[in-house]
Amino acid sequence: MTDFKENVYAAVALIPKGRVATYGQVAEMAGCPGAARAVGNAIHTNTDPVKVPCHRVVDASGRVGSHYGMGGPSVQRQRLEAEGIVFAADGTVDLARYGGVIEHHPLEPFLPPTGKVLFLGSFPPPQGRWSMDFFYPNFINDFWRIWGWLAFGSKDYFVGEGKHFDKERIVAFCRDRGLAFFDTARKVCRLKGNASDEFLLILEPTEVGELLAQMPSCRAVVTTGGKSSEELAAIVRAAGVPAVGEAKTVVVDGREVMWYRMPSSSRAYPMRLEQKAAHYRVLWDLVR
């Protein structure tokens, strides 16, 4: 089996039950953007529909394949319907509802020239969940409550009117204290329409060294959660990741920095806000 076919099969295996991906999306997931036709050829020779659920691959308009190799298009449709997918009257799948979504990072890196600490998450949640167009925008994420608690003694210091954060106040604070932000991925495939890292497939990792090059005073990198920590380890070729709340020295493009791993600021992470803030306090000591 060729490397290309192996990559295609591995990509198809990631498509969860009740979702679909197009041939073009599978090509990107396999690391070969633009190779949609070759993906179709590879899938046509699949002999293990359980391990490689090729019935979950449709064309760019959401139609099942006219030459589905496991019984024809009617069988492919039946298998998708058995997984809960509803077809439109014209025989197409609603890709907005059921399709894997490939996204480029919607924000530019925030890199103050005097930045001291670079925070790296995994990837922003879907924009429908944002309360502001800045990093950690989900209102039920506690990142900015942690910093309000640490810097001003109030978890609501950065909360604005309604269920929104005060972006202007946050940006001013970050510039003043040298807090920089981006994520470990520039392009992802979101296999489910939620904010969970579990369903993010990273297609293009971030060149962390390029970010650090713009901040000569930055000597600390922080990952906030498991996915971002695993990805940073791969980017800098580190042997493992620090335990939560701990740090290790890594070299990024010949530059030595401290890598701190903080607990996730998501409320799904099983730790009280006060406990998370206790871990983050070491970072406040670096910038206050």
Side-chain angles (χ1 to χ4, degrees), residues 126-199:
Q127 288 183 261
R129 297 170 181 260
W130 290 17
S131 70
M132 63 174 175
D133 57 341
F134 195 66
F135 294 89
Y136 300 93
N138 192 332
F139 191 71
I140 62 172
N141 186 290
D142 282 331
F143 184 87
W144 295 112
R145 294 181 180 86
I146 290 170
W147 279 98
W149 184 290
L150 290 174
F152 302 101
S154 170
K155 65 184 179 64
D156 294 324
Y157 182 82
F158 292 116
V159 175
E161 295 183 4
K163 293 185 177 182
H164 288 80
F165 290 116
D166 187 331
K167 177 187 173 182
E168 183 176 343
R169 178 175 285 189
I170 286 171
V171 170
F173 172 75
C174 293
R175 290 191 188 281
D176 180 55
R177 297 297 177 175
L179 306 186
F181 296 90
F182 199 54
D183 291 303
T184 51
R186 285 189 175 272
K187 182 168 70 172
V188 302
C189 180
R190 198 184 298 277
L191 296 171
K192 285 195 174 183
N194 58 33
S196 174
D197 285 350
E198 180 183 356
F199 300 106

XYZ file of all heavy atoms in Angstrom, residues 126-199:
630
model
N -15.852 27.451 17.501
C -16.625 28.031 16.398
C -17.046 29.461 16.729
O -17.369 29.780 17.877
C -17.838 27.097 16.302
C -17.344 25.794 16.845
C -16.390 26.151 17.942
N -17.043 30.342 15.723
C -17.259 31.767 15.980
C -18.634 32.084 16.542
O -18.816 33.128 17.157
C -16.978 32.572 14.709
C -15.493 32.625 14.398
C -15.155 33.475 13.198
O -14.947 32.972 12.109
N -15.092 34.780 13.396
N -19.587 31.198 16.357
C -20.893 31.413 16.960
C -20.856 31.398 18.475
O -21.810 31.849 19.124
N -19.761 30.910 19.058
C -19.629 30.845 20.512
C -18.807 32.008 21.081
O -18.562 32.064 22.278
C -18.967 29.520 20.915
C -19.770 28.290 20.538
C -18.943 27.017 20.757
N -19.691 25.829 20.370
C -20.320 25.035 21.211
N -20.297 25.292 22.508
N -20.976 23.967 20.796
N -18.354 32.906 20.208
C -17.483 33.986 20.660
C -18.260 35.087 21.384
O -19.381 35.418 21.026
C -16.768 34.616 19.476
C -15.723 33.766 18.833
C -15.563 32.418 18.961
C -14.697 34.205 17.947
N -14.504 31.979 18.215
C -13.952 33.060 17.577
C -14.344 35.441 17.433
C -12.868 33.133 16.708
C -13.266 35.510 16.566
C -12.532 34.371 16.220
N -17.601 35.687 22.385
C -18.155 36.883 23.021
C -17.307 38.107 22.681
O -17.641 39.214 23.087
C -18.213 36.700 24.536
O -16.907 36.691 25.087
N -16.200 37.891 21.963
C -15.338 38.988 21.484
C -14.404 38.401 20.437
O -14.192 37.179 20.396
C -14.519 39.611 22.627
C -13.557 38.647 23.271
S -12.485 39.434 24.488
C -11.605 37.985 25.126
N -13.813 39.252 19.599
C -12.889 38.764 18.578
C -11.454 38.887 19.076
O -10.646 39.682 18.584
C -13.086 39.503 17.249
C -12.936 41.008 17.373
O -13.040 41.526 18.510
O -12.727 41.677 16.345
N -11.152 38.082 20.090
C -9.816 38.023 20.660
C -9.650 36.626 21.236
O -10.589 35.813 21.234
C -9.638 39.102 21.742
C -8.205 39.348 22.132
C -7.316 39.890 21.222
C -7.753 39.034 23.413
C -5.992 40.118 21.566
C -6.433 39.271 23.773
C -5.548 39.810 22.842
N -8.493 36.337 21.746
C -8.195 34.994 22.213
C -8.961 34.646 23.490
O -9.231 35.501 24.316
C -6.685 34.842 22.411
C -5.950 34.927 21.102
C -5.523 36.149 20.608
C -5.762 33.788 20.327
C -4.874 36.239 19.389
C -5.120 33.864 19.102
C -4.673 35.091 18.620
N -9.314 33.363 23.587
C -10.166 32.838 24.655
C -11.499 33.592 24.671
O -11.880 34.190 25.679
C -9.440 32.911 26.005
C -8.153 32.111 25.990
C -6.940 32.715 25.658
C -8.152 30.742 26.253
C -5.761 31.988 25.589
C -6.971 30.002 26.195
C -5.786 30.637 25.861
O -4.615 29.914 25.791
N -12.229 33.539 23.539
C -13.426 34.366 23.390
C -14.709 33.753 23.949
O -15.707 34.458 24.079
C -13.542 34.497 21.873
C -12.996 33.193 21.358
C -11.878 32.825 22.297
N -14.677 32.460 24.248
C -15.889 31.804 24.737
C -16.200 32.302 26.151
O -15.371 32.186 27.054
C -15.679 30.283 24.735
C -16.972 29.518 24.936
O -17.902 30.015 25.552
N -17.027 28.301 24.439
N -17.383 32.824 26.347
C -17.706 33.459 27.634
C -17.702 32.470 28.793
O -17.489 32.861 29.944
C -19.067 34.159 27.559
C -19.347 35.039 28.753
C -18.650 36.232 28.932
C -20.285 34.677 29.708
C -18.884 37.038 30.045
C -20.531 35.477 30.816
C -19.828 36.665 30.982
N -17.930 31.202 28.514
C -17.917 30.232 29.609
C -16.512 29.665 29.841
O -16.329 28.804 30.702
C -18.924 29.090 29.392
C -18.579 28.285 28.135
C -20.340 29.627 29.329
C -19.431 27.033 27.988
N -15.520 30.140 29.074
C -14.137 29.797 29.363
C -13.613 30.759 30.435
O -13.888 31.957 30.390
C -13.293 29.911 28.087
C -11.864 29.435 28.288
O -11.078 30.077 28.971
N -11.531 28.316 27.670
N -12.853 30.249 31.381
C -12.473 31.055 32.546
C -11.085 31.687 32.444
O -10.567 32.204 33.447
C -12.541 30.201 33.817
C -13.964 30.014 34.316
O -14.799 30.909 34.072
O -14.248 28.976 34.941
N -10.475 31.697 31.263
C -9.118 32.249 31.158
C -9.057 33.679 31.682
O -8.179 34.020 32.494
C -8.646 32.202 29.701
C -7.225 32.651 29.512
C -6.182 31.758 29.642
C -6.927 33.976 29.210
C -4.859 32.168 29.468
C -5.622 34.393 29.039
C -4.581 33.489 29.171
N -9.975 34.541 31.231
C -9.914 35.952 31.641
C -10.411 36.158 33.063
O -10.057 37.135 33.721
C -10.645 36.832 30.646
C -9.947 36.789 29.326
C -10.381 36.254 28.152
C -8.611 37.263 29.077
N -9.422 36.356 27.172
C -8.317 36.972 27.720
C -7.643 37.891 29.842
C -7.102 37.297 27.134
C -6.427 38.214 29.277
C -6.160 37.922 27.929
N -11.202 35.233 33.586
C -11.577 35.300 35.002
C -10.366 34.971 35.882
O -10.176 35.567 36.948
C -12.738 34.352 35.283
C -14.041 34.759 34.587
C -15.193 33.814 34.902
N -16.399 34.240 34.209
C -16.713 33.888 32.958
N -15.885 33.095 32.273
N -17.814 34.324 32.386
N -9.545 34.011 35.424
C -8.325 33.685 36.164
C -7.423 34.907 36.247
O -6.903 35.251 37.329
C -7.598 32.512 35.481
C -8.392 31.213 35.665
C -6.181 32.355 36.042
C -7.887 30.054 34.833
N -7.255 35.604 35.119
C -6.366 36.767 35.130
C -6.961 37.948 35.896
O -6.242 38.716 36.530
C -5.993 37.167 33.699
C -4.903 36.285 33.211
C -5.025 35.164 32.426
C -3.514 36.387 33.539
N -3.803 34.573 32.237
C -2.852 35.299 32.902
C -2.770 37.282 34.294
C -1.479 35.103 33.005
C -1.392 37.081 34.399
C -0.765 36.004 33.770
N -8.266 38.092 35.869
C -8.898 39.114 36.698
C -8.660 38.843 38.174
O -8.374 39.761 38.958
N -8.764 37.576 38.538
C -8.547 37.163 39.921
C -7.107 37.461 40.348
O -6.850 38.026 41.423
C -8.842 35.672 40.040
C -8.762 35.095 41.410
C -7.636 34.907 42.164
C -9.847 34.610 42.204
N -7.937 34.324 43.365
C -9.294 34.128 43.419
C -11.217 34.509 42.008
C -10.084 33.567 44.421
C -11.996 33.944 43.003
C -11.437 33.492 44.193
N -6.137 37.084 39.485
C -4.729 37.244 39.834
C -4.302 38.712 39.894
O -3.612 39.133 40.825
C -3.845 36.512 38.816
C -3.884 34.992 38.832
C -3.074 34.441 37.671
C -3.355 34.450 40.156
N -4.684 39.476 38.876
C -4.162 40.836 38.739
C -4.950 41.876 39.528
O -4.380 42.881 39.973
C -4.128 41.229 37.264
N -6.259 41.632 39.705
C -7.095 42.674 40.308
C -7.968 42.173 41.454
O -8.779 42.933 41.982
C -7.981 43.295 39.221
C -7.183 43.876 38.080
C -7.055 43.182 36.888
C -6.534 45.098 38.204
C -6.310 43.692 35.836
C -5.790 45.616 37.159
C -5.664 44.916 35.969
N -7.819 40.898 41.797
C -8.580 40.364 42.916
C -10.044 40.169 42.630
O -10.845 39.982 43.548
N -10.440 40.195 41.328
C -11.844 40.023 40.957
C -11.942 39.190 39.687
O -11.393 39.576 38.646
C -12.522 41.371 40.717
O -13.804 41.198 40.143
N -12.650 38.065 39.762
C -12.798 37.228 38.573
C -13.649 37.902 37.498
O -13.638 37.480 36.335
C -13.396 35.874 38.949
C -14.809 35.914 39.491
C -15.257 34.525 39.909
C -16.658 34.519 40.487
N -17.692 34.928 39.509
N -14.369 38.945 37.847
C -15.231 39.635 36.892
C -14.617 40.926 36.352
O -15.292 41.697 35.667
C -16.584 39.956 37.546
C -17.374 38.706 37.888
O -17.300 37.732 37.107
O -18.049 38.691 38.932
N -13.339 41.153 36.634
C -12.719 42.417 36.226
C -12.780 42.619 34.710
O -12.957 43.748 34.235
C -11.268 42.464 36.688
C -10.575 43.763 36.345
C -10.740 44.895 37.148
C -9.773 43.875 35.207
C -10.122 46.091 36.830
C -9.150 45.078 34.881
C -9.327 46.176 35.694
O -8.714 47.370 35.379
N -12.627 41.557 33.929
C -12.621 41.678 32.464
C -13.982 41.369 31.836
O -14.089 41.264 30.611
C -11.563 40.752 31.855
C -10.152 41.162 32.182
C -9.348 40.326 32.947
C -9.633 42.363 31.734
C -8.043 40.697 33.251
C -8.330 42.742 32.029
C -7.535 41.907 32.796
N -15.007 41.233 32.654
C -16.354 40.965 32.136
C -17.032 42.289 31.804
O -17.063 43.203 32.630
C -17.192 40.178 33.163
C -18.623 40.015 32.663
C -16.555 38.814 33.431
N -17.543 42.391 30.567
C -18.243 43.594 30.149
C -19.736 43.455 30.327
O -20.221 42.659 31.149
N -20.490 44.203 29.537
C -21.952 44.159 29.624
C -22.471 42.869 28.972
O -21.946 42.420 27.951
C -22.555 45.374 28.929
C -22.219 46.697 29.607
C -22.902 47.869 28.928
O -23.683 47.620 27.998
O -22.650 49.007 29.339
N -23.520 42.347 29.576
C -24.079 41.114 29.035
C -23.073 39.986 29.151
O -22.130 40.027 29.937
N -23.239 38.972 28.341
C -22.327 37.836 28.374
C -21.179 38.067 27.392
O -21.007 37.338 26.403
C -23.081 36.558 28.061
C -24.095 36.186 29.150
C -24.740 34.850 28.877
C -25.679 34.470 30.017
N -26.306 33.141 29.808
N -20.387 39.079 27.683
C -19.257 39.447 26.844
C -18.082 39.851 27.727
O -18.260 40.369 28.827
C -19.600 40.608 25.909
C -20.522 40.231 24.793
N -21.887 40.118 24.976
C -20.271 39.931 23.489
C -22.449 39.774 23.827
N -21.491 39.653 22.917
N -16.886 39.612 27.192
C -15.703 40.147 27.840
C -15.419 41.538 27.290
O -15.820 41.874 26.181
C -14.492 39.228 27.592
C -14.569 37.908 28.314
C -14.651 36.717 27.613
C -14.537 37.863 29.701
C -14.722 35.502 28.271
C -14.603 36.654 30.376
C -14.702 35.468 29.661
N -14.704 42.331 28.074
C -14.343 43.688 27.677
C -13.025 43.618 26.908
O -11.932 43.660 27.491
C -14.207 44.561 28.928
C -14.005 46.036 28.615
O -13.430 46.334 27.551
O -14.401 46.871 29.436
N -13.115 43.512 25.577
C -11.913 43.343 24.755
C -10.940 44.504 24.925
O -9.723 44.290 25.032
C -12.298 43.191 23.279
C -11.097 43.086 22.368
C -11.494 43.097 20.904
C -10.257 43.173 20.005
N -10.611 43.239 18.566
N -11.443 45.723 24.931
C -10.557 46.887 25.033
C -9.738 46.826 26.319
O -8.519 47.087 26.311
C -11.389 48.169 24.987
C -10.554 49.439 25.008
C -11.401 50.697 24.853
O -12.574 50.587 24.414
O -10.898 51.787 25.187
N -10.360 46.469 27.414
C -9.647 46.382 28.695
C -8.637 45.238 28.667
O -7.516 45.368 29.181
C -10.660 46.190 29.824
C -10.049 46.028 31.199
C -11.101 45.958 32.281
N -11.684 47.272 32.553
C -12.500 47.535 33.551
N -12.860 46.553 34.383
N -12.985 48.738 33.735
N -9.017 44.132 28.056
C -8.130 42.967 27.975
C -6.896 43.284 27.140
O -5.758 42.993 27.535
C -8.892 41.756 27.397
C -9.858 41.202 28.452
C -7.930 40.675 26.922
C -10.807 40.147 27.925
N -7.094 43.888 25.973
C -5.970 44.193 25.085
C -5.008 45.172 25.750
O -3.780 45.012 25.681
C -6.473 44.733 23.736
C -5.317 45.286 22.904
C -7.196 43.628 22.959
N -5.541 46.185 26.420
C -4.693 47.151 27.109
C -3.866 46.469 28.197
O -2.665 46.747 28.353
C -5.546 48.267 27.706
N -4.485 45.569 28.939
C -3.784 44.830 29.981
C -2.663 43.976 29.386
O -1.533 43.947 29.912
C -4.778 43.942 30.737
C -4.147 42.988 31.702
C -3.644 43.430 32.918
C -4.068 41.631 31.409
C -3.069 42.539 33.820
C -3.489 40.739 32.303
C -2.982 41.195 33.509
N -2.956 43.303 28.281
C -1.963 42.420 27.658
C -0.774 43.213 27.108
O 0.383 42.787 27.239
C -2.613 41.604 26.546
S -3.826 40.411 27.140
N -1.049 44.359 26.515
C 0.054 45.189 26.014
C 0.912 45.700 27.173
O 2.145 45.726 27.091
C -0.503 46.369 25.215
C -1.138 45.983 23.888
C -1.415 47.216 23.033
N -2.184 46.881 21.854
C -1.671 46.339 20.748
N -0.376 46.081 20.700
N -2.435 46.074 19.723
N 0.262 46.084 28.235
C 0.982 46.635 29.384
C 1.846 45.581 30.060
O 2.977 45.879 30.491
C -0.027 47.213 30.377
C 0.644 47.809 31.610
O 1.514 48.685 31.432
O 0.313 47.384 32.727
N 1.337 44.345 30.123
C 2.040 43.290 30.866
C 2.879 42.374 29.980
O 3.599 41.512 30.490
C 1.026 42.449 31.661
C 0.283 43.253 32.710
C 1.237 43.786 33.766
N 0.546 44.618 34.757
C 1.134 45.122 35.833
N 2.410 44.887 36.050
N 0.450 45.883 36.662
N 2.769 42.534 28.673
C 3.583 41.709 27.774
C 3.054 40.302 27.577
O 3.841 39.346 27.471
N 1.734 40.155 27.521
C 1.123 38.855 27.260
C 0.855 38.717 25.764
O 0.196 39.570 25.168
C -0.189 38.700 28.025
C -0.159 38.934 29.539
C -1.507 38.582 30.142
C 0.954 38.126 30.194
N 1.342 37.661 25.155
C 1.181 37.410 23.724
C 0.346 36.149 23.518
O 0.340 35.252 24.376
C 2.548 37.254 23.060
N -0.328 36.073 22.359
C -1.257 34.963 22.144
C -1.268 34.470 20.702
O -1.227 35.260 19.758
C -2.697 35.392 22.494
C -2.895 35.746 23.923
C -2.703 37.053 24.359
C -3.245 34.787 24.858
C -2.861 37.393 25.687
C -3.407 35.119 26.190
C -3.225 36.429 26.601
N -1.336 33.184 20.570
C -1.751 32.521 19.333
C -2.102 31.089 19.714
O -2.354 30.801 20.897
C -0.667 32.587 18.243
C -1.237 32.336 16.858
C -2.302 33.099 16.390
C -0.727 31.331 16.049
C -2.844 32.867 15.133
C -1.262 31.098 14.797
C -2.309 31.863 14.333
N -2.143 30.201 18.726
C -2.480 28.805 18.982
C -1.486 27.893 18.289
O -0.710 28.333 17.428
C -3.910 28.511 18.523
C -4.949 29.206 19.398
O -4.933 28.956 20.619
O -5.747 29.999 18.876
N -1.515 26.626 18.636
C -0.558 25.677 18.069
C -0.946 25.213 16.675
O -0.189 24.497 16.037
C -0.403 24.453 18.984
O -1.693 23.929 19.300
C 0.328 24.829 20.270
N -2.126 25.620 16.187
C -2.566 25.232 14.848
C -3.017 26.449 14.056
O -3.699 27.324 14.588
C -3.707 24.221 14.927
N -2.636 26.490 12.783
C -3.105 27.534 11.876
C -4.276 27.058 11.026
O -5.083 27.852 10.563
C -1.975 28.001 10.958
C -0.951 28.894 11.645
C 0.014 29.502 10.661
N 0.918 30.458 11.293
C 0.657 31.747 11.460
N -0.508 32.227 11.036
N 1.526 32.548 12.024
N -4.363 25.746 10.813
C -5.475 25.205 10.023
C -5.864 23.860 10.614
O -5.010 23.043 10.931
C -5.079 25.048 8.558
C -6.220 24.539 7.679
C -5.900 24.669 6.186
C -4.841 23.730 5.736
N -4.687 23.728 4.259
N -7.183 23.641 10.771
C -7.683 22.401 11.355
C -8.876 21.891 10.560
O -9.488 22.620 9.778
C -8.121 22.593 12.829
C -6.978 23.104 13.684
C -9.334 23.518 12.918
N -9.179 20.638 10.786
C -10.465 20.093 10.355
C -11.266 19.836 11.621
O -10.839 19.078 12.495
C -10.290 18.799 9.574
S -11.862 18.084 9.012
N -12.415 20.510 11.719
C -13.283 20.350 12.892
C -14.284 19.243 12.560
O -15.239 19.454 11.810
C -13.986 21.664 13.212
C -14.544 21.713 14.624
C -15.311 23.004 14.875
N -14.522 24.211 14.757
C -13.751 24.713 15.727
N -13.658 24.090 16.863
N -13.076 25.829 15.529
N -14.058 18.069 13.127
C -14.869 16.910 12.780
C -16.256 16.949 13.407
O -17.159 16.248 12.959
C -14.141 15.629 13.189
C -12.814 15.384 12.439
C -12.060 14.226 13.060
C -13.071 15.133 10.971
N -16.420 17.760 14.435
C -17.743 17.997 15.015
C -17.883 19.486 15.272
O -16.900 20.172 15.534
C -17.950 17.205 16.315
C -18.194 15.725 16.095
C -18.747 15.070 17.343
C -19.128 13.625 17.075
N -19.737 12.963 18.265
N -19.098 19.975 15.203
C -19.333 21.417 15.310
C -19.363 21.929 16.723
O -20.306 22.622 17.115
N -18.345 21.580 17.513
C -18.296 22.078 18.881
C -16.889 22.571 19.199
O -16.025 22.618 18.329
C -18.749 20.988 19.873
C -17.891 19.726 19.770
O -16.701 19.780 19.486
N -18.519 18.578 20.021
N -16.654 22.924 20.442
C -15.371 23.510 20.822
C -14.393 22.478 21.379
O -13.312 22.841 21.831
C -15.611 24.604 21.871
N -14.739 21.206 21.317
C -13.909 20.177 21.929
C -12.638 19.920 21.125
O -12.680 19.709 19.913
C -14.701 18.872 22.061
O -13.874 17.827 22.516
N -11.503 19.905 21.822
C -10.232 19.574 21.180
C -10.226 18.141 20.663
O -9.464 17.803 19.758
C -9.080 19.744 22.167
C -8.733 21.199 22.425
O -9.249 22.068 21.702
O -7.943 21.465 23.349
N -11.059 17.291 21.243
C -11.084 15.880 20.870
C -11.379 15.695 19.386
O -10.925 14.728 18.763
C -12.132 15.146 21.717
C -12.251 13.662 21.417
C -13.342 12.987 22.225
O -13.961 13.678 23.078
O -13.585 11.801 22.004
N -12.139 16.624 18.812
C -12.562 16.476 17.427
C -11.851 17.457 16.494
O -12.362 17.785 15.425
C -14.081 16.644 17.327
C -14.825 15.622 18.143
C -15.440 15.972 19.330
C -14.881 14.305 17.732
C -16.111 15.029 20.089
C -15.548 13.349 18.490
C -16.163 13.713 19.671
